Amino acid sequence: MCGIAGLFDTRGKRDFERALMQRMNDVQHHRGPDEGGYHFEPGVALAHRRLSIIDLATGQQPLFNEDGSVAVVFNGEIYNFQELVPELEALGHVFHTRSDTEVIVHAWEAWGEDCVQRFRGMFAFALHDRNRDTFFMARDRLAVKPMFYALLPDGTLAFGSELKVLMQHPDLDRRIDPLAVEEYFALGYVAEPRTIFRGAKKLGPGESLCIRRGQPIPEPRQYWDVSFTLDNDISLEEASAELTERLRESVRLRMIAEVPLGAFLSGGVDSSAVVATMAGLSSEPVNTCSIAFDDPKFNESEFAQKVADRYRTNHFVETVKSDDFDLIDTLAALYDEPYADSSAIPTYRVCQLARKRVTVALSGDGGDESFGGYRRYRMHLMEEKMRAALPMGVRRPMFGLLGRLYPKADWAPRVFRAKTTFQAMARDATEAYFHSVSILRGDMRDKLFSADFRARLGGYDALEVFRRHAGAAKTDDPLALIQYLDLKTYLVGDINTKVDRASMAHSLEVREPLMDHKLVEWLATLPSGLKIQGNEGKYLFKKAMEPFLPDDVLYRPKMGFAVPLARWFRGPLKQRVRDAVLGETLAATGIFNRDYLQHLVDAHQSGARDYSAPLWTLLMFEAFIRNNTAPTRAPAEVAAAA
């Protein structure tokens, strides 16, 4: 696992300043503390920070082909590289290392842009081909690894593993993008391809970008997408057996390493299944790491211990205090742009713990999206049945009115929150799902933003992110549609972002067997009834794992990786929230309606409403503004973004 950075002159062959590249690379030192490397030639500068995992002796980067005409910098792992080496050798390519990185340069020579189709893994890489006068970069299919880039005014393309890399370049347009602000307060992250800054973008999942010097810059090309065909006529027993074998293959590929390896073990279904599979593949005890909480409402450690005991793992546990809120400013600096998933706190802590024992850790991330594990999926399917019973022409006016008139009951289980249900019934499937996952829903964002800022948005609604992806989903199955939406949005913008930054902050490589693209493709062929049956999510996955895991791990209620925000904001963080949300930093941006900010703080701290999620979102935005924008320039930068 590594950090990459570079500059490419799309118009000519200017020389780039070595000191600038040094700054861009040094700022991501945490991603690769073992070694640093550079390559300079006219019109090109490449940089790399290395966390050594495979081929410790000769895997340095930038890495080149036989004659030095192709140079690559690479972040990630190509798990099937050992299969590709003999195929490429048969085509005449000569290998000088045992590194998976070298496969990339030879695959580019052999197959060009289509080389990415041959790779199985998590990756973000950039290469320069001197003979073709071409620059090429790509991101893996499920966007496990990040890739930021910017086309600067002078025609220079800058790229890096984190936004902070691009921020070292003096010509980056760091004005805040109003549309990114709208997306952030709806979703808790800025969705691909946008970033918080107008001048920078993210390469999306399964996208590549090929630039030929002197030619117009094309749009990124989508080289992969998942297709929910749901046409696999397979029995539950057959599917369980095949899933078990596919999981074994995926885990086996991710256990290749020349450094200490282990796994996260939360006590949930996904991480427990990964650990059970690792134990079956390893002759040595598996190293496992868990975080325990001193608040029993958030503590799953007893279930993690059951799995650890069953498989006799080397299990390490640390207890996190329920008032572990000292990381707020650390997280703001770590994520570079506003990011509002509060589970980033325990994720940071479990990565910190794991790095004391291992350099590579396998995780269970991605299971909820592909297997149908989220509670919100089951709620959405219930609502879809009700929506199907009435035409939109009847539902929208009737339930829209009820949704406006009925009081909101935050304290009740969602199924009894009539206002939320009525609002969902007045919408189509995509809009209803977007509404259900939004941190601040449309009516709240209307009140949150100042009239001036709403005018700058020009009518843009973050719902357009979901509309765009829904248009490409090519399915009318209710579950498949929202699984597709999550694979394109939440998994990428929230889960993968959280794990990448938290793990890399501790120079830890995390691998996700449940995000293997071949596994995801196969699961997308299975009928939705194998994923959710009645009120049971992950139905197939749990059935397949019954021989390997105890029932109270498989079938207990899902807890999640939560922190007690509501209590924090009425207790130990009460004054901090008030100072941040109502203070000068947010006021100076011109984005917010101060009266509504006052309402959010007062209503939450009085106990009248639970506004913990919106307040955390505001708290992280305030920390971002404070950390990333000079106070004297903040209002001008935001205003200029219009």
Side-chain angles (χ1 to χ4, degrees):
M1 200 58 57
C2 307
I4 62 176
L7 301 169
F8 175 71
D9 185 354
T10 66
R11 299 173 185 170
K13 293 189 176 181
R14 289 166 298 159
D15 289 328
F16 291 113
E17 181 187 343
R18 183 175 290 269
L20 171 59
M21 283 307 305
Q22 181 94 37
R23 292 195 300 274
M24 292 173 67
N25 209 26
D26 284 351
V27 78
Q28 59 179 354
H29 182 274
H30 54 282
R31 296 188 71 93
D34 295 334
E35 292 181 274
Y38 296 88
H39 170 66
F40 294 89
E41 64 179 273
V44 181
L46 301 175
H48 184 261
R49 291 299 322 178
R50 187 184 188 200
L51 177 63
S52 303
I53 304 293
I54 293 174
D55 192 10
L56 305 187
T58 62
Q60 291 80 10
Q61 298 184 41
L63 188 145
F64 305 87
N65 66 338
E66 296 94 332
D67 65 3
S69 62
V70 178
V72 69
V73 284
F74 164 52
N75 169 29
E77 301 287 351
I78 307 296
Y79 298 121
N80 65 331
F81 78 99
Q82 292 171 332
E83 300 169 20
L84 294 173
V85 168
E87 185 177 356
L88 289 163
E89 286 178 332
L91 295 174
H93 297 279
V94 178
F95 284 77
H96 298 287
T97 74
R98 294 182 296 105
S99 167
D100 56 340
T101 308
E102 193 173 3
V103 164
I104 298 174
V105 293
H106 297 310
W108 164 260
E109 290 179 293
W111 303 307
E113 292 183 53
D114 288 336
C115 66
V116 289
Q117 303 282 3
R118 311 297 293 270
F119 301 151
R120 184 174 183 177
M122 55 179 186
F123 53 82
F125 68 85
L127 64 80
H128 173 250
D129 187 326
R130 186 188 310 131
N131 294 336
R132 303 186 203 184
D133 215 7
T134 296
F135 173 85
F136 180 74
M137 64 182 188
R139 193 176 183 192
D140 66 75
R141 296 166 180 83
L142 293 167
V144 177
K145 302 319 299 174
M147 177 67 92
F148 293 85
Y149 69 102
L151 185 63
L152 304 176
D154 66 357
T156 297
L157 184 106
F159 69 90
S161 292
E162 298 186 15
L163 190 55
K164 60 172 60 73
V165 174
L166 305 187
M167 292 166 66
Q168 303 309 304
H169 201 293
D171 295 337
L172 178 71
D173 183 354
R174 290 178 58 175
R175 291 177 296 165
I176 291 174
D177 183 349
L179 308 191
V181 174
E182 157 69 8
E183 291 178 6
Y184 169 71
F185 280 99
L187 301 171
Y189 54 89
V190 180
E192 270 75 351
R194 219 178 297 280
T195 74
I196 192 63
F197 298 128
R198 292 187 66 177
K201 293 182 178 180
K202 306 174 188 122
L203 205 60
E207 286 187 349
S208 62
L209 179 61
C210 190
I211 300 173
R212 290 172 175 82
R213 184 177 274 118
Q215 297 184 16
I217 310 298
E219 289 297 312
R221 177 177 77 100
Q222 186 168 10
Y223 67 84
W224 180 87
D225 200 7
V226 61
S227 178
F228 280 86
T229 61
L230 315 180
D231 58 359
N232 192 335
D233 185 16
I234 189 171
S235 69
L236 174 62
E237 292 73 20
E238 292 169 331
S240 295
E242 186 167 348
L243 173 57
T244 301
E245 286 308 307
R246 286 179 176 272
L247 181 59
R248 280 176 59 86
E249 180 194 30
S250 180
V251 169
R252 178 183 59 78
L253 287 171
R254 286 158 179 80
M255 291 177 69
I256 299 171
E258 297 177 16
V259 293
L261 177 141
F264 298 145
L265 181 57
S266 70
V269 176
D270 300 334
S271 66
S272 298
V274 169
V275 168
T277 305
M278 291 177 71
L281 291 166
S282 177
S283 59
E284 299 292 327
V286 176
N287 298 307
T288 54
C289 301
S290 293
I291 289 293
F293 293 92
D294 63 1
D295 185 337
K297 289 184 293 185
F298 301 94
N299 190 19
E300 295 183 284
S301 60
E302 66 173 291
F303 299 102
Q305 191 64 55
K306 285 187 177 184
V307 177
D309 291 343
R310 178 165 178 164
Y311 290 101
R312 295 190 174 100
T313 71
N314 293 325
H315 191 51
F316 305 100
V317 184
E318 284 190 2
T319 299
V320 173
K321 295 181 180 179
S322 57
D323 288 343
D324 184 31
F325 43 73
D326 294 337
L327 289 176
I328 292 174
D329 286 324
T330 300
L331 293 178
L334 193 64
Y335 287 87
D336 295 336
E337 56 183 347
Y339 177 79
D341 186 343
S342 60
S343 69
I345 292 177
T347 301
Y348 182 95
R349 292 301 187 201
V350 76
C351 290
Q352 188 177 49
L353 167 62
R355 190 60 178 91
K356 296 176 183 178
R357 308 287 179 176
V358 299
T359 310
V360 176
L362 273 61
S363 84
D365 293 312
D368 285 311
E369 289 78 8
S370 288
F371 290 110
Y374 290 122
R375 284 189 290 261
R376 62 178 182 259
Y377 288 176
R378 302 194 291 278
M379 180 62 67
H380 181 82
L381 295 183
M382 290 170 54
E383 292 171 353
E384 274 292 275
K385 289 180 180 178
M386 292 188 286
R387 278 190 285 270
L390 289 171
M392 178 63 84
V394 174
R395 284 191 286 112
R396 191 175 288 278
M398 179 174 71
F399 288 108
L401 176 63
L402 289 170
R404 289 190 295 273
L405 296 178
Y406 204 91
K408 186 170 175 60
D410 286 327
W411 48 269
R414 186 180 166 193
V415 70
F416 299 118
R417 296 180 202 169
K419 186 180 186 73
T420 300
T421 302
F422 290 151
Q423 289 173 337
M425 289 294 293
R427 295 170 165 86
D428 63 32
T430 300
E431 187 180 0
Y433 188 63
F434 172 78
H435 182 74
S436 73
V437 300
S438 294
I439 296 177
L440 284 94
R441 292 169 177 162
D443 57 334
M444 294 181 71
R445 298 197 304 281
D446 285 344
K447 297 172 188 173
L448 177 73
F449 296 140
S450 66
D452 182 51
F453 186 75
R454 288 200 306 273
R456 294 174 198 160
L457 288 173
Y460 179 75
D461 191 310
L463 172 62
E464 294 307 311
V465 174
F466 277 40
R467 291 275 190 227
R468 172 167 50 88
H469 291 302
K474 299 176 184 175
T475 181
D476 55 6
D477 180 84
L479 177 60
L481 172 62
I482 59 177
Q483 285 183 283
Y484 183 89
L485 291 174
D486 272 353
L487 286 171
K488 296 295 182 179
T489 59
Y490 182 72
L491 181 68
V492 176
D494 189 302
I495 302 297
N496 287 345
T497 299
K498 172 177 64 180
V499 175
D500 176 79
R501 304 306 187 279
S503 60
M504 286 287 90
H506 300 291
S507 305
L508 175 76
E509 176 172 301
V510 176
R511 300 175 178 178
E512 295 88 356
L514 302 184
M515 281 192 238
D516 184 273
H517 81 273
K518 290 185 178 291
L519 176 61
V520 171
E521 288 173 341
W522 178 74
L523 289 168
T525 70
L526 301 182
S528 291
L530 283 177
K531 298 165 189 172
I532 294 180
Q533 193 160 113
N535 198 40
E536 194 66 62
K538 295 184 184 171
Y539 182 73
L540 168 64
F541 195 27
K542 291 174 181 177
K543 286 294 182 184
M545 289 296 108
E546 280 182 350
F548 308 102
L549 295 171
D551 282 358
D552 55 356
V553 168
L554 291 173
Y555 293 105
R556 66 186 176 86
K558 184 178 176 67
M559 289 182 70
F561 220 22
V563 293
L565 292 181
R567 180 175 62 78
W568 285 359
F569 295 163
R570 294 184 183 121
L573 292 183
K574 181 175 182 178
Q575 192 59 46
R576 175 163 183 170
V577 166
R578 184 168 289 273
D579 291 345
V581 174
L582 303 179
E584 179 58 29
T585 299
L586 291 187
T589 66
I591 293 174
F592 302 102
N593 170 9
R594 195 184 187 285
D595 289 342
Y596 193 63
L597 296 181
Q598 187 79 54
H599 163 73
L600 292 174
V601 173
D602 290 346
H604 181 84
Q605 294 189 343
S606 71
R609 300 287 290 273
D610 182 359
Y611 282 139
S612 54
L615 289 173
W616 177 261
T617 307
L618 284 160
L619 195 65
M620 297 309 293
F621 190 80
E622 189 269 349
F624 160 76
I625 293 291
R626 191 162 30 82
N627 289 351
N628 289 284
T629 311
T632 57
R633 294 177 59 200
E637 287 190 346
V638 175

